[in-house]
Amino acid sequence: MPSTDGKVWLQMHDFSQQHGDFACGSLLWVHTIVIGSAKVAEDLLEKRSANYADRPRSVMCGELSGWGKIMLLSNYNDWFRSHRKMIAREIGSYATVAKFHRMIEFETRRTLRCILDDPARLQAHVRKNFTSIILRISHGYVTQEGDDPLVELAHTANAQLSMASAPGLFYVDIVPLLKYMPSWLPGAGFKRKAKEYAAVLDDLVEIPHNYVKSQLAAGTALPSLSSRILGEPGLTDELEDSLKWAAATMYQGGADTANSVAYAFYLAMMLHPRVLKKAQEELDSVIGTNRLPTFADRPSLPYLEALVTELLRWHTPGPITMRRTRVDDEYNGYFIPAGSFIFVNIWAILRDERTYTNPLEFRPERFLGDNPEPRPGNACFGFGRRRCPGKLVDSASTSDSEPFPGYFLGHSALWLICAQALGAFDISKPVENGAEIVPEFNLVGEIIVHQAPFRCSIKPRSLEAEALVRQEFSLSE
């Protein structure tokens, strides 16, 4: 059972340290397996993916709060596959993602200006950047200047999702019969909380969907996943309902994990000024100081690519992934009953000393040279049939159509905001009363985590760099 102070990934790591990479236990009638190595995770979730693609039953989050129709919580079924197909068609190839490059650059430049004007709200600016990008793609919605209601709605919904899906936090997930308790009884506070969560989720799904429908009726809808399918002939109620939840999946997912990593980037640069300086030296030598980097520069910046890859390993927005077995299985002589809960400790896998040298260090060089260490790959973006639907190939091979591994939507947007921030800003520890304030690496949250809020000194590298950030940038070429 998780302790009340959270950080269940640390408790699972301790459990694996005591009992091995494939450690089993049980709670009441639930058989539980904790996986602590990449090899075991890939052997089961990749090579036997059909049996390890379902989610455990989630009474609090999936049933009482209503999140079960989102891909993240849905079982691997026709509903899940139809959503994955819709999303993959929109962002599932290099060619489709490349169509959004100009828009991503526009939103990134807008975010840099906000950071320059109000660096104290860094986390909010970063969050808005990624939410704005995904809302343009999912619903054709353009976020307004300043605080935007749909950005704040996604933030609220994701915080509730993380809490509602936390392993062991709500007893109703262990004893499902508790879901039938009257909400007025002592101890039934979880039902009142679930009702609150469900109302926010309903807004998350319905408000942007109704926005698209109103824009289509007025003839002003921008291209998006929603407008494309809503505009197709023969739309049925069933297809519209499926679309509504697929678009909400994009909106919810794109608004959380990528911004979590991007916010951690500023912490990493404060804690590791050597890395910041080396990346800026590469940028200056390759593109100079007369412009900010663009996607076209990406293949020419190997150190920056390694920096972003190390960032994905060092900061883990989803430290645990959970699965449920469909049928009985056997692994290395151990029997795995159908219905077993599988917990994969992503945090531990990305800090495994058998894979990464000095894994607690932030060292982009580990991914360069003649013998690079393995990239985070599956551990960051999902294993097997539940891999992120926007994730392209992640291997050492490249091709003309997909010139670089990791050129999918979330990774591309993350790369650009890191690249342009390094080109424009000096990022350092704040100074108070003559002393530097050293922030801590501290993950907070449950299933989706963020760095705890920290103070950061962000200043333009030069007057010329400030002018580049403030330069007018149009969506049209």
Side-chain angles (χ1 to χ4, degrees):
M1 288 288 291
S3 64
T4 55
D5 61 355
K7 293 185 171 51
V8 67
W9 55 92
L10 296 180
Q11 298 167 250
M12 288 186 176
H13 179 59
D14 291 342
F15 187 68
S16 296
Q17 291 290 96
Q18 295 177 49
H19 304 291
D21 294 331
F22 184 81
C24 308
S26 62
L27 177 63
L28 299 180
W29 50 83
V30 179
H31 192 78
T32 302
I33 295 170
V34 177
I35 294 175
S37 79
K39 182 182 186 309
V40 178
E42 289 171 2
D43 285 348
L44 298 180
L45 276 63
E46 288 283 342
K47 297 176 182 178
R48 308 180 192 181
S49 59
N51 194 31
Y52 293 85
D54 281 347
R55 290 292 195 204
R57 183 183 180 187
S58 173
V59 180
M60 178 62 184
C61 189
E63 298 173 22
L64 295 177
S65 302
W67 282 93
K69 295 180 78 173
I70 289 279
M71 273 185 68
L72 182 68
L73 272 294
S74 169
N75 277 333
Y76 186 77
N77 49 29
D78 289 342
W79 176 266
F80 179 97
R81 286 187 287 270
S82 68
H83 290 188
R84 187 178 184 88
K85 189 174 181 179
M86 286 183 195
I87 296 171
R89 182 178 171 187
E90 205 70 24
I91 59 172
S93 70
Y94 174 71
T96 56
V97 171
K99 293 189 300 183
F100 302 122
H101 280 178
R102 187 74 180 175
M103 180 269 289
I104 296 171
E105 290 186 30
F106 173 84
E107 292 295 349
T108 301
R109 189 69 60 87
R110 185 161 70 141
T111 299
L112 294 184
R113 286 198 296 269
C114 291
I115 294 173
L116 195 60
D117 292 337
D118 189 4
R121 298 189 69 226
L122 171 65
Q123 189 172 22
H125 299 321
V126 170
R127 181 168 64 241
K128 183 179 178 183
N129 177 81
F130 289 94
T131 311
S132 297
I133 290 169
I134 203 64
L135 275 170
R136 286 289 290 261
I137 298 170
S138 63
H139 296 91
Y141 176 84
V142 182
T143 55
Q144 63 191 34
E145 295 298 326
D147 294 335
D148 184 277
L150 290 192
V151 174
E152 296 309 310
L153 175 60
H155 176 53
T156 301
N158 275 321
Q160 293 177 353
L161 167 64
S162 182
M163 187 66 65
S165 57
L169 188 61
F170 294 97
Y171 289 121
V172 70
D173 286 323
I174 301 167
V175 186
L177 286 174
L178 292 176
K179 70 181 285 188
Y180 299 108
M181 287 178 64
S183 58
W184 49 265
L185 277 178
F190 68 91
K191 294 199 73 173
R192 297 187 289 275
K193 193 174 290 291
K195 186 176 180 180
E196 173 191 339
Y197 292 173
V200 173
L201 173 60
D202 186 66
D203 286 345
L204 184 86
V205 175
E206 297 293 343
I207 291 176
H209 182 72
N210 290 333
Y211 166 83
V212 181
K213 293 178 73 172
S214 68
Q215 294 293 298
L216 283 169
T220 57
L222 296 175
S224 68
L225 167 67
S226 296
S227 64
R228 173 173 61 80
I229 295 180
L230 285 172
E232 292 177 352
L235 181 72
T236 63
D237 291 343
E238 292 77 12
L239 178 57
E240 183 176 352
D241 187 57
S242 184
L243 163 67
K244 189 164 55 176
W245 285 92
T249 291
M250 289 183 68
Y251 172 28
Q252 169 270 319
D256 208 15
T257 52
N259 82 64
S260 173
V261 182
Y263 183 55
F265 160 76
Y266 288 87
L267 177 66
M269 294 303 94
M270 278 195 292
L271 296 177
H272 305 281
R274 175 194 68 82
V275 173
L276 178 142
K277 183 178 179 181
K278 190 169 182 179
Q280 288 180 331
E281 288 173 351
E282 181 184 63
L283 282 167
D284 293 347
S285 66
V286 172
I287 68 172
T289 57
N290 295 323
R291 64 179 178 87
L292 293 177
T294 68
F295 286 114
D297 301 306
R298 190 170 177 181
S300 304
L301 299 166
Y303 188 79
L304 181 58
E305 192 72 37
L307 186 157
V308 175
T309 303
E310 176 71 338
L311 183 64
L312 289 166
R313 186 198 68 84
W314 181 76
H315 171 82
T316 314
I320 299 166
T321 187
M322 298 177 289
R323 305 292 174 86
R324 182 177 183 271
T325 55
R326 289 188 170 187
V327 298
D328 292 347
D329 198 4
E330 180 271 336
Y331 182 72
N332 288 351
Y334 291 95
F335 175 62
I336 306 173
S340 296
F341 284 19
I342 312 295
F343 292 87
V344 182
N345 192 339
I346 304 300
W347 184 91
I349 287 173
L350 296 179
R351 285 156 184 76
D352 193 333
E353 293 181 348
R354 295 165 296 185
T355 306
Y356 299 106
T357 305
N358 298 322
L360 298 183
E361 291 184 9
F362 188 90
R363 192 168 59 85
E365 291 83 359
R366 69 175 76 248
F367 300 111
L368 299 171
D370 295 332
N371 296 297
E373 294 178 353
R375 287 203 305 257
N378 289 336
C380 286
F381 300 102
F383 294 90
R385 302 187 184 193
R386 300 200 75 98
R387 181 181 295 114
C388 174
K391 182 182 184 298
L392 310 181
V393 293
D394 187 27
S395 64
S397 62
T398 60
S399 66
D400 292 335
S401 60
E402 293 178 358
F404 220 115
Y407 266 35
F408 53 99
L409 181 68
H411 199 163
S412 293
L414 175 65
W415 181 90
L416 188 71
I417 198 169
C418 294
Q420 293 205 347
L422 286 166
F425 299 145
D426 278 325
I427 304 165
S428 59
K429 302 181 187 74
V431 177
E432 188 173 280
N433 298 325
E436 280 189 339
I437 300 173
V438 181
E440 295 182 355
F441 182 100
N442 182 21
L443 297 177
V444 295
E446 299 292 343
I447 296 302
I448 302 297
V449 299
H450 299 258
Q451 293 293 336
F454 53 82
R455 293 175 59 186
C456 183
S457 174
I458 303 173
K459 298 177 181 178
R461 294 180 67 191
S462 64
L463 292 176
E464 291 76 15
E466 181 175 357
L468 289 174
V469 171
R470 299 196 184 281
Q471 193 175 70
E472 189 68 27
F473 187 92
S474 173
L475 269 175
S476 58
E477 295 287 352

